[in-house]
């Protein structure tokens, strides 16, 4: 699939409402005891609220009219005790519910993050990082209120409606029919609004995701932005993204704002119908004033949960888009994963074999075409050739970051498709041109190669690649924090640290992808002995454009147009006076001219 840019809306699979609701409810199962406790507390509070109008009726009809102050005092005390208890139980309920909803959201975020880490390179190739962050952070956060409302506004409110209706019908059948006469109008209106509202919230989520992707990309490349003095242009682009998001939000909210007025309108019409119907009943003595007051209070109690359920339904529609985007990623299967039938890769000796390997990306581009070679354990193989020839693809297939379209990749005779991924990749070390360091200390960055390594082992690894001296000159030595991506270090220093990290990991197969391209000549001389120690006894693949660094390779593969067109030692390939010779001579001439 083509890469999704910051300005392109993401495609997500539309899921049915029932499927989404079932899936969301499944996250509540581990907390069913606490949720049950919350529901019990809410039922008690609901019961107290339902008793209040009845106590009011009794106070008016039996004690106020008869001037029975003692009876009125007893009802007043009982009323106060019940409502203080209601406040106390409500407080407990809120605390438990906050804890449960936060833990549910934490579980979803953890599941989503863990799953994303398992996804293949193709997933990340086709999405800006900012759009992935938008789902892990923003979309997951949106579900917190939804889970809280589902417990608060669904089961207890439905029970409140049922119980209130029962009490209202028991008091007066005709008045109850008048009170609920507008419910069909409300239900029809809500479904009509929902039909259009969900689409608008999907659009809003996509626009917000685009904004996140743009911000992440812009700040990641802030040095380029400032060096080309493009701040004004990026500010203009930022404003466009913001306006697009704001516009989609206003459209969605404007439609959702019809929910509340519809409830208020239907409630108001219902109350008017009740008062209009009650005039004759009061005049004829069919109902007492106390009963009418109590019935009016029950109408308010009846419509309050309907308003709350409407708010929940509103929240549900608003966050359906967030849930869809989360489940869209959770349902994305890794292109490369363990199927369960793989064998554990034993200790690798280092024999690597390609048999008629072909590979192409999803857009139809062919990168490798029928490539075959056999590398013996301990051999140092250099891969050279023009950009885009297929060198990096070869090393990605060895690590099984991608699978071949045709042919087989074998390590020690094992097809890499048939071995457990962790057991394969844990025995490989990959060092890239764009060295990535984490925002933690140098000690921890080197130890990332082997988490159980001691401080002494970390320091010895740094000494072996000649990184120790510059590290000790830093303010806090090995405890110096390198900031995000190692920004406080030079490119060469970052690469030296990555050498130490790889040496500490002690991989059986080592891959260097332009790993020395950013080291100056003086630093390169210092690190050569460290690299030799790093490569000793290991099968290694070195991608290099600086040919002076690969003269001692056991074999050099010249890759062009997805094929290995030449293979041999440095001396042998020069003697052929073909593609490698032309490349070497052009580079030598370039250097000799003082470039």
């Amino acid at each position: 699939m083509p890469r999704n840019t910051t300005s392109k809306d993401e495609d997500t699979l539309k899921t049915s409402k029932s499927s989404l609701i079932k899936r969301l409810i499944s996250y509540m199962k581990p907390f069913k005891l606490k949720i049950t406790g919350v529901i019990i507390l809410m039922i008690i509070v609901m019961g107290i609220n339902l008793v209040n109008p009845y106590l009011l009726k009794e106070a008016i009809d039996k004690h106020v009219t008869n001037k029975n102050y003692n009876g009125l005092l007893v009802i007043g005390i009982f009323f106060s005790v019940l409502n203080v208890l209601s406040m106390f139980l409500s407080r407990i309920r809120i605390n438990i519910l906050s804890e449960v909803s936060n833990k549910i959201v934490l579980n979803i975020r953890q599941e989503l993050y863990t799953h994303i880490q398992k996804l293949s390179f193709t997933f990340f190739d086709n999405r800006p990082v900012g759009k992935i962050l938008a789902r892990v952070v923003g979309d997951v956060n949106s579900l917190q209120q939804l889970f809280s409302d589902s417990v608060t506004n669904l089961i207890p409110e439905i029970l409140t409606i049922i119980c209130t209706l029962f009490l209202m019908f028991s008091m007066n059948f005709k008045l109850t029919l008048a009170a609920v006469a507008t419910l069909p109008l409300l239900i029809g209106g809500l479904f009509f609004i929902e039909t259009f509202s969900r689409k608008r919230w999907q659009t809003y989520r996509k626009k917000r995701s685009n904004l996140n992707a743009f911000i992440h990309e812009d700040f990641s490349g802030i040095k380029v932005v400032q060096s080309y003095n493009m701040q004004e242009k990026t500010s203009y682009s930022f404003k466009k993204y913001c306006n697009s998001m704001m516009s989609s939000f206003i459209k969605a909210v404007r439609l959702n704002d019809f929910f509340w007025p519809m409830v208020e309108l239907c409630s108001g019409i219902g109350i008017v119908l009740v008062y209009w119907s009650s005039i004759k009943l009061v005049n004829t003595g069919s109902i007492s004033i106390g009963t009418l007051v109590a019935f009016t209070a029950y109408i308010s109690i009846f419509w309050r949960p309907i308003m709350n359920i409407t708010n929940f339904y509103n929240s549900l529609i608003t966050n359906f888009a967030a849930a869809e985007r989360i489940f869209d990623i959770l349902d994305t299967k890794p292109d490369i994963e363990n199927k369960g039938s793989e064998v554990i890769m034993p200790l690798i000796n280092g024999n690597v074999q390609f048999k008629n390997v072909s590979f192409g990306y999803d857009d139809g581009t062919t990168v490798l075409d029928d490539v075959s070679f056999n590398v013996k354990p301990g051999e140092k193989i250099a891969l050279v050739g023009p950009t885009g020839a297929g060198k990096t693809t070869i090393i990605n297939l060895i690590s099984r970051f991608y699978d071949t379209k045709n042919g087989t990749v074998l390590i020690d005779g094992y097809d890499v498709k048939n071995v457990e991924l962790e057991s394969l990749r844990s025995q490989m070390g990959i060092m890239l041109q764009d060295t990535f360091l984490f925002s933690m200390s140098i000690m921890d960055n080197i130890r990332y190669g082997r988490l159980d390594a001691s401080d002494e082992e970390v320091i010895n690894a740094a000494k072996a690649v000649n990184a120790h001296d510059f590290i000790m000159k830093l303010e806090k030595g090995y405890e110096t924090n390198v900031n995000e991506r190692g920004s406080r270090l030079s490119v060469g220093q970052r690469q030296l640290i990555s050498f130490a990290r790889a040496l500490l990991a002690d991989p059986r197969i080592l891959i260097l992808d332009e790993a020395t391209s950013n080291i100056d000549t003086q630093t390169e001389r210092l690190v050569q002995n460290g690299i030799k120690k790093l490569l000793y006894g290991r099968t290694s693949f070195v991608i290099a454009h600086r040919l002076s660094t690969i003269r001692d390779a056991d074999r050099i593969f010249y890759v062009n147009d997805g094929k290995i067109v030449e293979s041999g030692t440095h001396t042998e390939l020069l003697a052929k006076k073909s593609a490698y010779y032309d490349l070497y001579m052009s580079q030598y001439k370039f250097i000799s001219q003082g470039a």
Side-chain angles (χ1 to χ4, degrees):
M1 63 181 288
R3 179 172 173 82
N4 185 287
T5 62
T6 59
S7 59
K8 184 178 184 296
D9 290 346
E10 297 170 281
D11 294 325
T12 52
L13 297 176
K14 187 172 181 179
T15 311
S16 67
K17 288 184 291 185
S18 59
S19 176
L20 281 174
I21 292 171
K22 288 178 183 178
R23 198 160 178 180
L24 289 169
I25 290 175
S26 67
Y27 288 97
M28 301 170 70
K29 289 181 180 178
F31 307 96
K32 56 186 177 183
L33 290 179
K34 287 188 175 182
I35 291 175
T36 301
V38 168
I39 292 174
I40 292 173
L41 291 176
M42 296 189 71
I43 290 174
I44 295 173
V45 173
M46 177 195 72
I48 293 173
N49 291 334
L50 291 176
V51 167
N52 284 339
Y54 179 79
L55 293 177
L56 188 62
K57 171 183 175 298
E58 291 294 299
I60 294 173
D61 288 346
K62 292 185 178 181
H63 302 297
V64 173
T65 54
N66 297 325
K67 297 184 179 180
N68 184 358
Y69 299 113
N70 290 333
L72 194 61
L73 180 62
V74 171
I75 288 181
I77 294 173
F78 186 57
F79 180 90
S80 301
V81 170
L82 283 179
N83 283 275
V84 168
L85 177 63
S86 173
M87 292 173 58
F88 178 73
L89 296 180
S90 295
R91 185 64 183 174
I92 296 175
R93 183 260 301 174
I94 291 171
N95 290 337
I96 297 175
L97 201 55
S98 297
E99 177 188 354
V100 169
S101 59
N102 275 287
K103 286 184 176 179
I104 290 174
V105 170
L106 178 64
N107 290 345
I108 294 176
R109 199 190 310 277
Q110 184 66 48
E111 181 184 352
L112 183 61
Y113 176 79
T114 302
H115 180 73
I116 289 175
Q117 288 198 112
K118 296 177 182 177
L119 293 177
S120 309
F121 277 13
T122 50
F123 174 82
F124 299 96
D125 290 342
N126 296 322
R127 289 171 178 80
V129 174
K131 292 193 176 185
I132 300 174
L133 292 176
R135 301 199 190 198
V136 177
V137 181
D139 290 337
V140 174
N141 284 344
S142 299
L143 298 181
Q144 183 164 356
Q145 188 63 38
L146 181 62
F147 281 110
S148 177
D149 287 346
S150 66
V151 179
T152 305
N153 295 333
L154 201 56
I155 299 175
E157 303 294 15
I158 290 174
L159 289 175
T160 300
I161 291 172
I162 294 173
C163 294
T164 305
L165 277 175
F166 175 79
L167 291 171
M168 289 169 67
F169 274 116
S170 66
M171 294 177 71
N172 192 283
F173 186 81
K174 291 182 178 180
L175 289 182
T176 304
L177 289 179
V180 301
T182 55
L183 273 181
L185 175 64
L186 175 63
I187 294 172
L190 293 181
F191 276 106
F192 177 79
I193 293 173
E194 185 270 335
T195 302
F196 298 97
S197 180
R198 185 176 176 183
K199 293 179 181 178
R200 294 190 179 188
W201 283 111
Q202 288 173 334
T203 301
Y204 163 70
R205 294 284 175 188
K206 292 175 182 178
K207 299 301 182 185
R208 195 177 74 166
S209 182
N210 291 347
L211 176 63
N212 273 289
F214 172 78
I215 293 172
H216 181 272
E217 185 176 79
D218 184 57
F219 289 158
S220 296
I222 191 64
K223 291 181 180 178
V224 177
V225 172
Q226 292 185 355
S227 63
Y228 283 93
N229 197 30
M230 298 297 287
Q231 294 94 322
E232 186 175 343
K233 180 182 181 302
T234 53
S235 294
Y236 175 74
S237 298
F238 177 76
K239 186 175 182 180
K240 281 179 59 180
Y241 280 101
C242 287
N243 287 338
S244 179
M245 183 187 72
M246 181 181 68
S247 175
S248 63
F249 179 76
I250 290 173
K251 287 180 180 179
V253 169
R254 187 176 292 157
L255 192 59
N256 272 49
D257 283 345
F258 279 103
F259 276 98
W260 187 260
M262 283 198 65
V263 177
E264 290 281 7
L265 177 64
C266 293
S267 170
I269 294 174
I271 292 174
V272 169
L273 291 175
V274 167
Y275 280 123
W276 183 78
S277 303
S278 64
I279 294 174
K280 184 177 180 180
L281 295 175
V282 171
N283 290 336
T284 59
S286 299
I287 59 171
S288 64
I289 297 297
T291 300
L292 179 59
V293 171
F295 191 89
T296 305
Y298 278 125
I299 291 176
S300 299
I301 294 175
F302 172 76
W303 280 101
R304 191 183 307 128
I306 289 179
M307 290 179 182
N308 291 336
I309 291 176
T310 303
N311 282 334
F312 168 71
Y313 187 68
N314 193 357
S315 177
L316 193 66
I317 299 307
T318 301
N319 292 295
F320 264 155
E324 279 181 325
R325 287 162 53 82
I326 292 168
F327 296 143
D328 179 51
I329 289 187
L330 288 175
D331 291 339
T332 300
K333 300 295 182 183
D335 297 330
I336 299 170
E337 62 178 336
N338 294 322
K339 304 295 184 183
S341 58
E342 295 85 359
V343 298
I344 301 295
M345 187 74 187
L347 185 65
I348 293 175
N349 292 319
N351 176 246
V352 178
Q353 189 174 8
F354 273 43
K355 287 186 176 181
N356 308 110
V357 170
S358 296
F359 177 81
Y361 292 102
D362 293 339
D363 60 2
T365 305
T366 299
V367 183
L368 295 181
D369 183 17
D370 197 28
V371 172
S372 297
F373 61 79
N374 188 16
V375 177
K376 298 176 182 178
E379 270 195 293
K380 176 182 176 181
I381 304 299
L383 302 173
V384 300
T387 301
K391 303 184 296 296
T392 300
T393 301
I394 290 175
I395 65 174
N396 282 335
L397 293 176
I398 295 172
S399 304
R400 207 192 165 200
F401 290 129
Y402 300 95
D403 274 338
T404 61
K405 301 299 181 184
N406 295 298
T408 309
V409 177
L410 301 170
I411 295 180
D412 292 350
Y414 289 87
D415 187 337
V416 294
K417 292 182 181 179
N418 298 327
V419 298
E420 188 184 53
L421 284 172
E422 291 78 9
S423 66
L424 172 67
R425 293 176 182 168
S426 64
Q427 300 188 66
M428 293 188 174
I430 301 177
M431 297 171 57
L432 305 175
Q433 178 180 359
D434 184 18
T435 302
F436 191 96
L437 298 182
F438 297 94
S439 55
M440 50 191 182
S441 69
I442 291 175
M443 178 73 74
D444 289 334
N445 266 288
I446 297 176
R447 187 179 279 121
Y448 200 83
R450 181 159 58 87
L451 297 178
D452 61 349
S454 65
D455 289 356
E456 184 179 1
E457 289 174 312
V458 170
I459 294 171
N460 287 337
K463 287 180 177 178
V465 297
N466 295 310
H468 177 75
D469 289 343
F470 92 79
I471 293 174
M472 294 306 297
K473 292 178 181 178
L474 298 174
E475 180 183 357
K476 296 182 181 179
Y478 283 87
E479 295 305 318
T480 302
N481 194 303
V482 299
N483 298 341
E484 187 177 8
R485 302 181 69 90
S487 60
R488 69 177 299 176
L489 302 177
S490 70
V491 176
Q493 289 173 332
R494 295 201 295 267
Q495 288 184 322
L496 290 175
I497 290 175
S498 73
F499 283 144
R501 182 165 60 193
L503 181 61
L504 188 66
D506 193 22
R508 305 305 303 161
I509 295 177
L510 183 66
I511 295 168
L512 306 180
D513 187 354
E514 287 292 331
T516 61
S517 62
N518 293 316
I519 297 179
D520 58 75
T521 304
Q522 183 178 358
T523 306
E524 183 184 343
R525 289 179 186 142
L526 290 174
V527 84
Q528 283 302 322
N529 289 333
I531 293 178
K532 287 179 180 178
K533 185 171 183 178
L534 192 61
L535 301 180
Y536 180 76
R538 300 179 174 90
T539 302
S540 57
F541 293 83
V542 180
I543 297 178
H545 287 108
R546 192 188 298 178
L547 302 184
S548 61
T549 64
I550 58 166
R551 290 184 188 182
D552 61 342
D554 296 309
R555 275 187 290 165
I556 299 172
F557 293 165
Y558 188 94
V559 185
N560 193 19
D561 291 333
K563 294 180 178 291
I564 297 176
V565 297
E566 285 186 349
S567 174
T569 64
H570 173 73
T571 304
E572 290 171 347
L573 293 181
L574 286 181
K576 288 182 179 181
K577 292 190 175 182
S578 189
Y580 179 80
Y581 174 84
D582 292 339
L583 179 65
Y584 180 81
M585 293 307 295
S586 64
Q587 194 170 110
Y588 176 78
K589 182 179 179 181
F590 181 72
I591 294 173
S592 65
Q593 289 177 344

